[in-house]
Amino acid sequence: MRKRIIELIEADASVDPRIVFLTGDLGFSFVEPLEQALGERFVNMGVAEANMVSVAASLAASGFRPFAYSIAPFMSARCFEQIRNDICYQRRAVRLIGVGAGFSYGALGPSHHALEDASIMAALPDLIVANPGNAAELDRCYAALLDDPRPVYFRIARESGAAYGAPIFSPQTAAFEARRGADVTLAASGGSVTHCLAAAEILAAEGIEASVVSVPILQPFPAQAFAACLTGAPVVAVFEGYRGNPLSIGVMETLLARGRGEAFVDLTAPQSFPSLVGDTETLRRRAGLDPASIAERARALVAGRGAPLSVGLG
């Protein structure tokens, strides 16, 4: 999806001279066409992400439409004060792009894993958190937020994601069924949608039909749209990040507000740094976030589907 968001920005910049792209010395191997198209509007800010964010805020205040690009933990944790004070407090329409959601940069280790970024970014006032699961969702997110005056954080996985369509949505309606099923609902966002679709295939072979509900915009959480996707079946929320993330909280608050007692389990990454260096899929398996693990938890929940709403922290 990294390549796709660059293509979207390039197409937008061809008709809007206000667009400026800032990179923290990253993306080289696929940002070159954008650099060529933008000329002096493409700026390599070097390994100085906090400064890059402050410059982006100043550009937005001067009437430009800046995009700032870096690896997710460097964009979020390293720049948190500047995002909080220079962008959110001043309500500047900066588009922040954090690449490598979850365990996407697996073997590069915890310094490059993005497991807390969605939580800390969603805590900021007026900051929209978009977490598309594939290129179709990214296209819809980009279009929905094109003219929004609020700042946006795009949380992008390195992988392309499964091939599924996405309807037109707004921040308020950004929840939809990527797959229908009546026995259990798998609620996910970002790359976890792909894993839930694969888990649904495993369950289908056993006669369990799973609905997969995707939530590509996490903050503000589209509670009404998400609730409309629920059927009363047990719910498994799956997010490649730590507990307390905006998907987990949004799903739990929606279920509690419904008051129908759906059985519920929350699958997240263990809140610890991995002791193993491994590739992305190895880390997902160890965290219990791979398709087989998701199917196992859903299967167990269906077996006890008469249970009241409960929270299981995966």
Side-chain angles (χ1 to χ4, degrees):
M1 281 192 286
R2 298 175 298 173
K3 184 174 183 293
R4 182 56 185 161
I5 198 165
I6 295 301
E7 292 171 347
L8 291 170
I9 296 169
E10 182 179 353
D12 200 8
S14 69
V15 296
D16 189 344
R18 298 173 299 162
I19 289 181
V20 179
F21 186 87
L22 310 175
T23 176
D25 203 30
L26 290 164
F28 296 99
S29 72
F30 60 89
V31 298
E32 285 83 356
L34 182 63
E35 181 181 16
Q36 199 167 38
L38 265 63
E40 64 180 8
R41 289 187 287 150
F42 181 102
V43 185
N44 182 358
M45 298 295 297
V47 184
E49 291 87 352
N51 181 55
M52 176 175 70
V53 166
S54 292
V55 169
S58 299
L59 287 168
S62 301
F64 290 95
R65 291 180 55 206
F67 290 79
Y69 177 96
S70 189
I71 295 174
F74 307 156
M75 178 57 75
S76 55
R78 186 174 291 176
C79 308
F80 186 77
E81 180 183 0
Q82 287 72 26
I83 295 170
R84 178 184 185 270
N85 295 341
D86 297 347
I87 292 179
C88 295
Y89 179 43
Q90 307 294 336
R91 200 179 169 90
R92 302 302 182 195
V94 176
R95 273 44 180 159
L96 304 166
I97 303 169
V99 175
F103 291 113
S104 287
Y105 278 101
L108 294 183
S111 64
H112 284 60
H113 298 163
L115 300 168
E116 71 291 304
D117 62 313
S119 300
I120 64 175
M121 298 296 257
L124 291 170
D126 292 325
L127 181 63
I128 299 172
V129 178
N131 190 44
N134 67 2
E137 287 191 356
L138 176 57
D139 287 359
R140 297 302 194 194
C141 286
Y142 191 93
L145 301 171
L146 185 62
D147 297 316
D148 199 296
R150 294 170 290 179
V152 179
Y153 175 57
F154 285 97
R155 186 177 189 264
I156 307 290
R158 293 179 75 193
E159 303 94 332
S160 298
Y164 59 90
I168 295 172
F169 53 74
S170 69
Q172 295 75 32
T173 62
F176 67 94
E177 283 188 307
R179 177 187 174 117
R180 292 183 179 235
D183 297 321
V184 64
T185 296
L186 307 179
S189 183
S192 294
V193 177
T194 292
H195 312 142
C196 285
L197 288 168
E201 291 293 333
I202 295 172
L203 293 168
E206 304 169 10
I208 300 172
E209 291 301 324
S211 167
V212 177
V213 177
S214 177
V215 186
I217 295 180
L218 292 170
Q219 176 65 25
F221 188 80
Q224 188 172 351
F226 177 74
C229 297
L230 299 175
T231 63
V235 177
V236 180
V238 184
F239 190 79
E240 199 168 307
Y242 295 141
R243 58 188 174 185
N245 63 76
L247 178 76
S248 298
I249 292 173
V251 170
M252 283 188 274
E253 288 181 343
T254 302
L255 292 174
L256 288 169
R258 277 164 60 85
R260 300 185 186 180
E262 288 105 329
F264 170 71
V265 66
D266 187 25
L267 298 186
T268 61
Q271 202 147 2
S272 61
F273 296 114
S275 58
L276 170 78
V277 174
D279 62 21
T280 300
E281 295 310 318
T282 297
L283 294 172
R284 286 175 179 153
R285 281 194 301 274
R286 287 178 64 90
L289 296 171
D290 61 302
S293 298
I294 296 168
E296 180 181 353
R297 297 299 292 273
R299 190 183 300 117
L301 197 61
V302 170
R305 65 184 306 162
L309 185 148
S310 58
V311 179
L313 296 173

